[in-house]
Amino acid sequence: MGSLQNQKPDNGFAGTIKPLDPEEFRRQGHLVIDFLADYYKSVERYPVRSQVEPGYLKKRMPDSAPYDAEPIEDILRDVQKDIVPGITHWQSPNYFAYFPASGSIAGFLGEVLGTGFNIVGFNWMSSPAATELETIVMDWLGKMLDLPSEFLFSGGGGGVLQGTTCEAILCTLVAARDQMLKKIGRENINKLVVYGSDQTHSALQKAAQIAGINPNNFRAVATTRADAFGLTADALRATIESDVESGLVPLFLCPTIGTTSSTAVDPLGPLCDVAEEYGIWVHVDAAYAGSICICPEYRHFLDGIEKAHSFSFNAHKWFLTTLDCCCLWVKDPGALIKALSTYPEYLRNKASETKQVVDYKDWQITLSRRFRSLKLWLVIRSYGVANLRKFLRSHVKMAKNFEGLIGMDKRFEVVVPRNFATVCFRISPIEIGGNHQIVTKEDAANNFNAKLLESINESGKIYMTHAVIGGVYVMRFAVGASLTENKHVIWAWKVVQEHANALLTSS
């Protein structure tokens, strides 16, 4: 890799590069596709969690950028040598951490097409196909999920592709905020209260901070193991009533279908009934589990959605659509538009002014937006509803198999009920210590399971992450990588047992 040191004169050639030469694009594109195909073919051989130390890359890179052009062949060699070691391999079949980021040929090629066209689709006029395809695909997907017609364009609502759930929550929270402040006056913003549970994703608290909600008015309502860590209507009501008595104004509730810690499910119907009494906007976050609700046997988790105001899930998690692609539906697009719209002179055009089109710039935080609908369209068309359901069900079956393996080893326990394809488990406290030294304290159990997980992840053989649920440290085994097969699940359990045996023996 070259350097800016000893710079050479440009000799008049600075204007001769051809950044989009079709034939050179074809040649380099083939090299990159071949590189990635080989990567997927061999990804199982890499340590799943990156083994590098902080700051590793700076030691391998020059201090300054190259002055002269470098060939793609050299760059790809450096990708293999320097970048790949620093990647945690989310596409590895032995990846069971966080939630999946499932990839696919269709998702990748849709991304390539969208990136290749490189349009900036802020309004209809900037690229009509981008807007119109998005409205069509969002109605398709809404029907696959059996969403009430009020969430679809065909029923007066509508869907939009955001980057992430964080954005979806923020946009709907801002819409709810502005609606409420119009009623009570902007000077009363410090009275607004936002509600979630102690299992709700931190994105809700961040959105509340950004939207100007008083930090003291953020409620993380306690959940219990007895209710499988779902938010109960009684607990919500008690919290709301206390706030109302204090002169505060309930604003926004975010129930979750598949919480991050344990994939707990909040009961939408009862929660929405409480929210309706107090005029609260309900946004349903199904970032992880929304995908599987296209399967009829899982659709019941969305019962009550007809009473909510907005709903989102991440197609980039468990729906074969590469990051980023968060699907958001709202019953009242006008609420989003009123809160998020700007209309400078340089964006004025006949189509927008006749209100015959959707201008997605008014449905999101940013002005600029990518052509995300292409990859979602390719995924749905390339695999079809039947195959997408089959794909999702296969992961649930694998998670059930892992759960069964846990049940055959009395040292381990599943800590919370498994709803989808994520299993939360640990070594039981009574088994900890080995050599007949029985330890029953939860803190000792938590420490032991934390050591066990770190030992497993350091090996590079598999990768899992943890959660603390009701004070209990659990290992999370999330099945969902596109290349994972049942043999990888069996292998993962063997790895867990091997490390548990070693740690128990040395305790």
Side-chain angles (χ1 to χ4, degrees):
M1 192 179 284
S3 160
L4 285 176
Q5 296 175 349
N6 303 318
Q7 294 183 2
K8 303 174 184 177
D10 64 30
N11 296 321
F13 292 115
T16 61
I17 63 167
K18 296 180 178 179
L20 280 179
D21 177 74
E23 293 310 315
E24 186 59 18
F25 173 69
R26 190 189 313 278
R27 185 186 76 84
Q28 293 192 29
H30 278 295
L31 291 174
V32 171
I33 294 289
D34 285 344
F35 179 92
L36 286 172
D38 289 340
Y39 168 74
Y40 292 136
K41 195 172 182 179
S42 62
V43 67
E44 190 171 354
R45 299 204 298 264
Y46 294 111
V48 189
R49 192 182 75 175
S50 175
Q51 305 292 299
V52 301
E53 297 294 330
Y56 90 100
L57 194 54
K58 188 174 183 180
K59 298 173 185 176
R60 301 186 182 204
M61 292 284 169
D63 290 335
S64 54
Y67 183 70
D68 292 315
E70 299 182 39
I72 188 66
E73 292 84 355
D74 289 357
I75 296 169
L76 286 177
R77 274 194 290 271
D78 286 344
V79 170
Q80 183 64 51
K81 177 171 64 75
D82 298 329
I83 303 302
V84 170
I87 292 175
T88 289
H89 300 283
W90 287 65
Q91 303 310 313
S92 169
N94 296 311
Y95 180 96
F96 303 103
Y98 304 108
F99 281 134
S102 58
S104 66
I105 296 168
F108 178 85
L109 294 181
E111 189 77 66
V112 169
L113 281 171
T115 301
F117 290 134
N118 201 27
I119 62 99
V120 185
F122 42 79
N123 62 11
W124 180 89
M125 186 63 72
S126 65
S127 273
T131 295
E132 297 196 12
L133 183 63
E134 189 160 333
T135 62
I136 291 165
V137 169
M138 290 302 287
D139 267 14
W140 277 10
L141 192 48
K143 291 173 183 176
M144 288 164 64
L145 289 162
D146 195 22
L147 292 183
S149 61
E150 301 97 306
F151 282 106
L152 310 181
F153 283 102
S154 55
V160 56
L161 293 175
Q162 305 279 353
T164 67
T165 296
C166 301
E167 295 168 50
I169 293 175
L170 177 58
C171 288
T172 52
L173 177 55
V174 167
R177 178 200 67 188
D178 283 8
Q179 273 192 343
M180 185 61 74
L181 292 179
K182 191 173 181 180
K183 296 176 185 176
I184 67 173
R186 288 200 164 267
E187 68 277 8
N188 290 310
I189 188 170
N190 279 330
K191 293 183 178 180
L192 301 180
V193 188
V194 171
Y195 301 88
S197 83
D198 56 5
Q199 303 298 309
T200 304
H201 194 278
S202 59
L204 178 62
Q205 186 171 9
K206 176 179 269 192
Q209 291 172 200
I210 296 170
I213 304 301
N214 187 325
N216 294 325
N217 292 353
F218 178 81
R219 304 284 180 261
V221 183
T223 59
T224 66
R225 188 167 186 169
D227 295 302
F229 297 100
L231 175 60
T232 67
D234 287 344
L236 175 65
R237 182 186 295 278
T239 307
I240 292 173
E241 287 177 350
S242 174
D243 286 334
V244 172
E245 288 173 10
S246 300
L248 299 175
V249 179
L251 172 69
F252 190 88
L253 168 66
C254 184
T256 307
I257 308 300
T259 58
T260 301
S261 294
S262 67
T263 71
V265 175
D266 295 333
L268 296 185
L271 292 173
C272 287
D273 287 342
V274 174
E276 187 176 13
E277 290 181 37
Y278 294 92
I280 297 172
W281 181 299
V282 180
H283 174 76
V284 178
D285 170 17
Y288 161 63
S291 297
I292 203 164
C293 292
I294 70 167
C295 300
E297 67 271 28
Y298 289 94
R299 175 57 177 77
H300 66 91
F301 285 112
L302 297 185
D303 287 353
I305 190 73
E306 66 277 1
K307 303 172 186 177
H309 298 75
S310 51
F311 168 80
S312 65
F313 89 93
N314 288 345
H316 60 246
K317 275 189 168 65
W318 198 16
F319 204 71
L320 296 174
T321 309
T322 53
L323 190 75
D324 52 4
C325 191
C326 173
C327 306
L328 167 66
W329 290 267
V330 291
K331 281 184 177 176
D332 180 11
L336 275 186
I337 293 167
K338 287 174 185 174
L340 301 170
S341 176
T342 56
Y343 198 28
E345 179 62 37
Y346 51 79
L347 293 183
R348 293 185 179 274
N349 64 86
K350 186 183 294 184
S352 295
E353 291 178 5
T354 57
K355 301 190 183 302
Q356 293 177 303
V357 299
V358 173
D359 286 341
Y360 273 126
K361 69 180 179 63
D362 300 329
W363 295 52
Q364 62 177 26
I365 299 165
T366 62
L367 171 66
S368 301
R369 65 194 324 268
R370 300 169 56 226
F371 199 167
R372 293 189 185 98
S373 58
L374 260 180
K375 59 184 174 182
L376 193 53
W377 187 53
L378 257 72
V379 165
I380 294 172
R381 290 193 61 191
S382 295
Y383 305 121
V385 177
N387 279 319
L388 288 167
R389 286 174 175 167
K390 186 177 179 181
F391 170 78
L392 294 162
R393 287 168 177 151
S394 73
H395 288 148
V396 174
K397 185 177 180 180
M398 285 185 254
K400 285 181 179 178
N401 290 344
F402 189 79
E403 194 174 28
L405 293 170
I406 293 171
M408 294 167 64
D409 189 330
K410 300 307 179 186
R411 299 173 300 175
F412 290 83
E413 66 172 339
V414 175
V415 177
V416 293
R418 179 199 52 76
N419 288 319
F420 308 106
T422 298
V423 182
C424 296
F425 72 107
R426 66 170 178 168
I427 283 190
S428 306
I430 198 167
E431 296 294 344
I432 293 174
N435 299 325
H436 308 294
Q437 298 174 358
I438 297 184
V439 179
T440 58
K441 290 183 179 179
E442 283 293 344
D443 56 351
N446 288 347
N447 290 336
F448 185 90
N449 280 282
K451 288 179 183 177
L452 174 58
L453 180 60
E454 186 54 28
S455 172
I456 291 167
N457 288 338
E458 281 182 349
S459 75
K461 293 176 181 177
I462 65 171
Y463 183 32
M464 297 183 294
T465 45
H466 79 282
V468 177
I469 312 166
V472 176
Y473 184 103
V474 300
M475 293 174 281
R476 297 170 66 264
F477 187 81
V479 183
S482 301
L483 295 171
T484 300
E485 300 174 20
N486 199 52
K487 65 181 181 181
H488 300 106
V489 171
I490 295 170
W491 157 252
W493 177 241
K494 288 180 179 177
V495 171
V496 171
Q497 286 186 307
E498 287 171 5
H499 284 264
N501 292 341
L503 204 54
L504 284 167
T505 301
S506 64
S507 295

